[in-house]
Amino acid sequence: MLKSPSSSFFHKKLRKVSNLHGFLFSPMPFVRSSDGLTLSLYSPSPMPSDPRENSNTKNGGFQVDKEVKKFAHMPDKTLNHSTAGYCGTFYASRLLALSVGKIQSMVEKGELEAWKTTGGHRRISIASIRAYQALYGVKASALMANNPVMRMVVIDDDAPTREMMGELIGRWKLSIDCTFMASGLEALMDMQNLRPDVLMTDLNMPGVDGFALLRTLRGNSTFEKVVMVAITGMSELDIERRGGLPEHTIVLSKPVDPNWLQGFVTALSTRHVISAPAVPKQVQPEL
């Protein structure tokens, strides 16, 4: 792994987006910090001719669990109503300045239009959120105008970690629709519906772990443009012993500095906005 420029250097760069071109569009977005934080773009070492011979590989290594195989060749479907025009409870709570629990209650009461994914995650109609704001005179959030929204999925089996990440991301003034999941299998079940732009996952998880999740998604052309990030306390050697990670996986070493992580995600969000196709303006017809 590479040592990381100081965080102050990184944030100075963030203030001038024009100078971020190298970070935003380089295939190897490395940064450096004085606190020992490391980030690297994973480059697999030469593997044995048959990876299954690696006795240290857990969860079957390349012999992916039966559950994972069902999702290994998911068809590349066109985006439909399940993704376009909908957001998760996390983003809806930020738009309406309400708690996630309140949003869930509103969905159950039919005050907001929503549906549930296979994994049980609510997807809420943006149009119904706007209608609610208009009906009750709720001031529109500044986030509403900052389109396009970057979709992010965070997977960790540790509930306190998910809660901490939710509180952290919730404080950032970024248009991020973030969905939190407790397992790799749960993530695989909802990938077609959520279509994330960024996926962050722990590696050590029961059942379908981060290794199997990343390999499965990277092997499917539908998700070839997803930025995949592994956040782990494992060493490079430990990762290799588990069969390694797919090429182009970004590896963040724990503990990750919250300020640095905000800068990193801000850069990804900026890249997402810059690279998104322009939305044509609607011209009002002359009377």
Side-chain angles (χ1 to χ4, degrees):
M1 297 194 182
L2 300 184
K3 289 287 183 180
S4 50
S6 68
S7 57
S8 59
F9 169 84
F10 180 75
H11 288 293
K12 285 178 183 176
K13 287 291 185 180
L14 274 178
R15 294 190 189 102
K16 297 183 178 181
V17 175
S18 59
N19 291 336
L20 269 174
H21 187 278
F23 179 88
L24 295 174
F25 300 100
S26 167
M28 299 184 70
F30 296 120
V31 293
R32 189 184 309 271
S33 69
S34 58
D35 60 2
L37 173 71
T38 58
L39 177 152
S40 69
L41 192 70
Y42 185 78
S43 180
S45 301
M47 297 295 294
S49 56
D50 184 355
R52 290 169 295 183
E53 294 174 359
N54 188 343
S55 59
N56 293 317
T57 302
K58 294 184 179 180
N59 282 341
F62 283 73
Q63 295 180 339
V64 184
D65 292 335
K66 222 186 303 185
E67 293 90 343
V68 179
K69 289 183 180 179
K70 293 189 296 184
F71 302 93
H73 301 289
M74 291 179 285
D76 186 359
K77 298 178 180 178
T78 304
L79 289 178
N80 52 33
H81 77 281
S82 64
T83 299
Y86 286 78
C87 70
T89 54
F90 177 81
Y91 192 64
S93 71
R94 298 176 69 200
L95 293 179
L96 294 174
L98 298 171
S99 68
V100 170
K102 178 62 176 176
I103 295 296
Q104 292 171 342
S105 175
M106 292 168 67
V107 169
E108 298 301 328
K109 293 176 181 177
E111 296 175 356
L112 293 175
E113 177 191 337
W115 60 280
K116 283 188 178 181
T117 65
T118 306
H121 295 276
R122 293 175 177 83
R123 304 304 293 167
I124 302 169
S125 165
I126 295 292
S128 74
I129 292 175
R130 289 196 175 101
Y132 180 89
Q133 290 171 324
L135 181 63
Y136 294 99
V138 178
K139 184 179 178 180
S141 168
L143 292 172
M144 190 70 85
N146 294 336
N147 286 325
V149 175
M150 184 175 78
R151 294 185 298 273
M152 186 162 76
V153 170
V154 175
I155 306 110
D156 199 302
D157 63 311
D158 183 61
T161 298
R162 294 196 303 274
E163 183 178 351
M164 179 194 69
M165 287 289 287
E167 291 177 357
L168 184 64
I169 296 172
R171 294 198 295 265
W172 302 343
K173 298 184 182 300
L174 298 173
S175 290
I176 301 177
D177 180 10
C178 193
T179 302
F180 299 89
M181 299 183 174
S183 72
L185 180 58
E186 183 183 350
L188 287 174
M189 290 171 67
D190 277 350
M191 280 299 107
Q192 282 287 4
N193 291 324
L194 299 181
R195 296 295 184 95
D197 302 296
V198 178
L199 182 145
M200 292 187 176
T201 182
D202 188 18
L203 292 181
N204 278 319
M205 295 185 290
V208 179
D209 61 16
F211 291 93
L213 172 64
L214 292 171
R215 290 170 190 152
T216 302
L217 294 179
R218 190 57 81 196
N220 188 299
S221 60
T222 304
F223 308 105
E224 62 185 1
K225 294 183 179 179
V226 176
V227 177
M228 297 187 184
V229 182
I231 303 179
T232 181
M234 298 176 67
S235 67
E236 285 184 283
L237 181 58
D238 288 336
I239 291 174
E240 289 295 337
R241 285 173 175 169
R242 295 281 291 272
L245 294 170
E247 199 169 5
H248 305 307
T249 299
I250 297 172
V251 180
L252 292 180
S253 294
K254 293 180 180 179
V256 179
D257 179 78
N259 293 325
W260 185 92
L261 185 62
Q262 180 180 0
F264 176 65
V265 176
T266 298
L268 292 177
S269 178
T270 303
R271 182 182 69 169
H272 179 73
V273 172
I274 292 174
S275 60
V279 178
K281 293 182 179 180
Q282 294 183 350
V283 180
Q284 296 293 334
E286 295 183 4
L287 298 178

